[in-house]
Amino acid sequence: MIRMAYLDEPELNKRILDAYVALMDTKTLRRHWREVRAAIPELKGFHFSMRQLISAPFGLLVEMAKSYDQALSGLSAERKKAINDMLLCKVFNYDGYYQRKKIAPFFREHAEALKLYTCHYCDMAYINTYEYVDRKDGGRRKAAHFDLDHILEKSDYPVFAFSLYNLVPSCPVCNERLKGKEPLAKTKKMLVKFSPTSKGFEFDREVRMELLPFGEEVARPFVEHADGYELTFDCHRDKDYEQYVERFRLKERYNYHKGEALRLKDLQMRYPDVNIVNIASMLKVPFDEVKEDIFGLHFGESQHRCFGKLRKDMMK
């Protein structure tokens, strides 16, 4: 539910993309790509360059995926698998050298610039990097506490295994247990809306989290009557996102943590603006400072805490 930071910062986007392309051994990859294409006649019409495969924005990747589907259309499942396996072995060997030595280290080293703090699919788990001392040689190393998920699954679309905008930093729950190797969406159009690497990803704007009572009874205080409330995701502005919520089981997972929302609602009842004005006057401090001390929204944002959207939506 979090857009990648580079989507809204053109300078960051260019800097990250240039660094990523420079990291890849494009000369060798281009040679291997030419050799394999020559050996696979079905790919004659798939004419995209290695540079495009590595750096094309996600919307263009989806169009390229359609072209890849067309190139392999009409082939048997066995032939498709043979082609995909050859590409993964001869050119796009993500799970080998490139993942260990190139791509994973790149995301670790650029984690701060990319604002990799919480899972981009759910915002419920931290995906931070950290440093440690290697016991073998005493050197300092950097490790990452996150997965890199392929939106266009590399077993189906090996040509996009190295594509920067096909990689989503995510938590293991979202990546391995919920999404797995299944497509994120049923259609290419939906993929553009569901990928945090896509400019079409507008979950934060189109979906609102709400705390609603079961039935008509409204009980206060909220925390003491937790069983009387549930967190829901209002997708009426774009019902397509109901599929996203269901795919990552956001409603069920967030309701386990609904205490965060209940507490904020209790604080809002206890400290309406008129009370905050009185407290600020008594303490002789600015209104916004008192409100921040009570609700901590700026702290949560600046310190990159989980549940950012939850807190923001509860305060609307």
Side-chain angles (χ1 to χ4, degrees), residues 32-43 79 83 86:
H32 290 167
W33 179 225
R34 286 196 301 268
E35 292 172 354
V36 170
R37 284 184 63 205
I40 303 176
E42 291 90 343
L43 294 181
R79 178 56 179 165
I83 292 173
M86 182 183 294

Side-chain angles (χ1 to χ4, degrees), residues 135-234:
R135 294 180 180 179
K136 294 182 180 179
D137 59 16
R140 297 194 67 82
R141 303 284 187 272
K142 183 175 285 190
H145 188 64
F146 58 84
D147 294 345
L148 288 173
D149 178 54
H150 287 82
I151 296 292
L152 295 164
E153 181 58 42
K154 58 183 181 292
S155 60
D156 296 324
Y157 298 97
V159 291
F160 306 128
F162 296 161
S163 302
L164 175 63
Y165 301 107
N166 195 34
L167 296 168
V168 177
S170 57
C171 69
V173 172
C174 286
N175 180 33
E176 298 174 10
R177 301 180 189 177
L178 296 178
K179 179 179 176 292
K181 296 185 181 298
E182 295 297 318
L184 180 57
K186 296 180 180 179
T187 67
K188 299 296 191 297
K189 176 183 177 182
M190 298 288 274
L191 279 176
V192 173
K193 297 180 72 169
F194 286 4
S195 174
T197 66
S198 167
K199 289 186 176 181
F201 186 69
E202 297 288 356
F203 186 96
D204 186 48
R205 187 179 70 178
E206 300 297 333
V207 179
R208 178 174 176 178
M209 300 180 67
E210 295 182 333
L211 186 67
L212 300 177
F214 287 111
E216 297 181 359
E217 183 178 352
V218 178
R220 304 286 193 274
F222 287 87
V223 172
E224 292 182 14
H225 297 86
D227 291 342
Y229 294 89
E230 69 169 345
L231 276 170
T232 65
F233 288 78
D234 180 4

